[in-house]
Amino acid sequence: MAKVFIYPATSLILSDLVARFGHEPLGSAIAIREHVQTPGFDSPPIQMTSDDPQKGLKWAAVEVPSGIRGRMSLYGPMVEEAEAAIIIDEPELAFGCMGCARTNELLCFMLRERDIPRLELRYPTSKDEGVTFVAAIKEFLVNLEVKKHE
Amino acid sequence: MKPYVPQYVGTVTKYVFVDSPDTTPQDIATAAYEIAQGVMIKETCFGCQITGSPEDVDRIIAHLRKMDPYRIYVKDRGFPPGDARRCRADLGGARPGYLGHEYEMGMIRYIAHGLEETDKMTKKELKAAAAKELPMPDALDVDILTSLIKEE
């Protein structure tokens, strides 16, 4: 079983397919869960603690807006522990504010920079494309398992 | 700041989505309740949310998937149900975060079809299907772009 980072990190489809074909999907929920189950300081409705932008300094410079650093404090450790990645090119659902957009760019850049197996594709728009989409992911994940055992 | 004492430490929460002509969200929730054994289950309009120890949640999900394997989808959730930072009972109005689900559920029928077809394929056929390129969307026509710029 390999740890596969999914982008968009909130994707239901990628999360389900990665788990369905026997691997562990790494997405937003995993990092958020760890965050909300760790004792610390609470400041509802803000989800982040004041430490998070500091942790994010490992992946983004101090000039970078704190929103990006805060998000990177969640995603950064997961990108580092990922053993593979599946990236959807320009997903419409990942459209968001400046912090989200720049974090997404940084995330994709970091995943492409890392020397790990990577699959890049886009969302299907028809049944035929659905077959290609699922086949590409299945083929990628099945071979990932084989490579890990070699 | 007040000290934060987390709830449900050590548990996992998973969403179960269903988009099927044969299985309703109520069927999913009922089947989950039947084997819940103390695991927290929340029925929703799209399926249910299950909160419990990882083993218990996996057991229930494996059971649910058998009901309609190509049309039941599972995803992790970070917050437990009823968390004051997310719950609409506390915040009021629509909860942010369902837009992504709504977007992806629009194309889930293609994924269901893909899963069904790839299950019947041999290794060779799967490789051939995976090698096909997903066509890029058509680029914006230059004339349309020019007219848009002129309108500005």
Side-chain angles (χ1 to χ4, degrees), chain A residues 11-12 20 33 36 122-123, chain B residues 4 69 74-76 104 135:
Chain A
S11 172
L12 162 70
R20 192 184 286 260
R33 179 184 298 146
V36 299
R122 65 165 186 78
Y123 278 125
Chain B
Y4 173 52
V74 179
K75 187 193 138 169
D76 277 287
E104 286 200 317

Side-chain angles (χ1 to χ4, degrees), chain A residues 10-13 16 20 29 32-33 36-37 40 42 47 93 122-123 125-127 131-133 135 138-139, chain B residues 4 6 8 10-13 65 69 72-79 104 107 110 113 118 127 132 134-135:
Chain A
T10 53
S11 172
L12 162 70
I13 292 171
D16 180 87
R20 192 184 286 260
I32 296 285
R33 179 184 298 146
V36 299
Q37 290 192 3
D42 194 19
Q47 318 295 326
L93 77 90
R122 65 165 186 78
Y123 278 125
T125 53
S126 67
K127 280 190 164 183
V131 176
T132 309
F133 182 87
K138 192 172 180 178
E139 175 80 1
Chain B
Y4 173 52
Y8 310 113
T11 64
V12 297
T13 301
R65 274 198 195 274
I72 288 176
Y73 298 86
V74 179
K75 187 193 138 169
D76 277 287
R77 188 190 177 192
F79 291 94
E104 286 200 317
M107 64 184 73
Y110 308 140
H113 178 72
T118 51
K127 203 170 184 179
K132 275 188 199 169
L134 287 170

Side-chain angles (χ1 to χ4, degrees), chain B residues 71-101:
Chain B
R71 294 178 186 85
I72 288 176
Y73 298 86
V74 179
K75 187 193 138 169
D76 277 287
R77 188 190 177 192
F79 291 94
D83 190 286
R85 287 163 293 194
R86 291 273 103 178
C87 185
R88 282 180 291 177
D90 298 279
L91 298 178
R95 188 182 83 70
Y98 281 128
L99 297 170
H101 295 158

Side-chain angles (χ1 to χ4, degrees), chain A residues 17 21 119 132-144, chain B residues 114-115 117-121 126 130:
Chain A
L17 292 180
F21 297 128
L119 176 69
T132 309
F133 182 87
V134 175
I137 291 177
K138 192 172 180 178
E139 175 80 1
F140 175 74
L141 294 172
V142 168
N143 289 337
L144 200 62
Chain B
L115 283 169
E117 291 299 309
T118 51
D119 242 14
K120 297 177 206 157
M121 287 178 180
L126 183 71

Side-chain angles (χ1 to χ4, degrees), chain A residues 2-148:
Chain A
K3 291 180 177 181
V4 183
F5 192 91
I6 53 170
Y7 175 80
T10 53
S11 172
L12 162 70
I13 292 171
L14 291 185
S15 185
D16 180 87
L17 292 180
V18 170
R20 192 184 286 260
F21 297 128
H23 297 278
E24 187 187 338
L26 296 179
S28 307
I30 309 291
I32 296 285
R33 179 184 298 146
E34 200 181 321
H35 216 67
V36 299
Q37 290 192 3
T38 306
F41 291 96
D42 194 19
S43 52
I46 298 164
Q47 318 295 326
M48 313 299 291
T49 65
S50 52
D51 287 340
D52 289 322
Q54 292 177 38
K55 285 181 198 158
L57 281 171
K58 185 173 175 190
W59 300 280
V62 72
E63 299 87 7
V64 171
S66 56
I68 300 170
R69 282 185 277 125
R71 286 170 175 86
M72 285 316 295
S73 70
L74 298 176
Y75 294 132
M78 286 196 299
V79 172
E80 288 189 352
E81 69 173 310
E83 292 160 314
I86 299 179
I87 300 173
I88 302 279
D89 281 329
E90 297 188 19
E92 278 181 42
L93 77 90
F95 175 82
C97 64
M98 200 67 166
C100 288
R102 296 290 170 260
T103 310
N104 288 342
E105 281 176 16
L106 184 56
L107 260 182
C108 289
F109 174 75
M110 282 170 65
L111 290 169
R112 286 175 181 136
E113 282 288 290
R114 283 206 55 204
D115 185 23
I116 52 174
R118 196 178 69 241
L119 176 69
E120 296 198 32
L121 66 179
R122 65 165 186 78
Y123 278 125
T125 53
S126 67
K127 280 190 164 183
D128 286 343
E129 286 184 26
V131 176
T132 309
F133 182 87
V134 175
I137 291 177
K138 192 172 180 178
E139 175 80 1
F140 175 74
L141 294 172
V142 168
N143 289 337
L144 200 62
E145 187 78 358
V146 172
K147 274 178 192 164
K148 276 189 74 68

